[in-house]
Amino acid sequence: QVQLVESGGGLVQTGGSLRISCAASGRTFSSYAMGWFRQAPGKEREFVAAISRSGGGTSYADSVKGRFTISRDNAKNALYLQMNSLKPEDTAVYYCAARRAAWSGSNRREYDYWGQGTQVTVSS
């Protein structure tokens, strides 16, 4: 089992940057593929990015490709999302998620564990 805690959210202006983090408990973080999802008010939770358990493979939603970068540090049990060129439509609660597998993708039902989320607000 793994517990996930997000941090680093906040208020940023359009065009700005923000890096959010996800700290994982336990000694088996490297056994999990990881993902970032987000949920805006009144909308369904949507996929943002995913990374393989080794960190060698990544995938992104079209809406963030070229602006966001997912990464992980297995030695620190940490997952990151670097967000650049932020837009008001990026405003949402961002969640990290873990799946005990080498790889996972955009289907949120594949993920086994979720954090509580961190709010990101982009002002226009």
Side-chain angles (χ1 to χ4, degrees):
Q1 187 172 353
V2 62
Q3 292 183 324
L4 306 172
V5 179
E6 301 93 338
S7 63
L11 175 64
V12 63
Q13 291 185 334
T14 296
S17 297
L18 199 63
R19 189 177 83 156
I20 57 177
S21 303
C22 174
S25 65
R27 292 177 286 182
T28 60
F29 178 68
S30 59
S31 298
Y32 293 85
M34 301 295 296
W36 285 102
F37 290 76
R38 67 186 182 186
Q39 188 167 17
K43 295 187 177 182
E44 289 192 355
R45 193 170 298 189
E46 65 175 5
F47 170 75
V48 175
I51 189 166
S52 65
R53 63 187 180 191
S54 70
T58 58
S59 68
Y60 297 90
D62 287 343
S63 59
V64 307
K65 202 171 292 184
R67 300 188 297 123
F68 290 11
T69 302
I70 188 171
S71 62
R72 66 189 297 163
D73 186 336
N74 286 344
K76 295 183 178 180
N77 283 9
L79 176 73
Y80 307 103
L81 186 68
Q82 177 67 44
M83 303 182 289
N84 298 328
S85 302
L86 282 160
K87 305 174 182 180
E89 51 263 44
D90 295 318
T91 295
V93 177
Y94 283 71
Y95 299 89
C96 66
R99 182 190 184 198
R100 193 174 179 90
W103 172 250
S104 193
S106 60
N107 185 350
R108 64 180 187 267
R109 293 172 180 82
E110 294 180 341
Y111 290 82
D112 303 307
Y113 303 101
W114 293 83
Q116 294 300 305
T118 186
Q119 176 71 47
V120 172
T121 303
V122 184
S123 63
S124 57

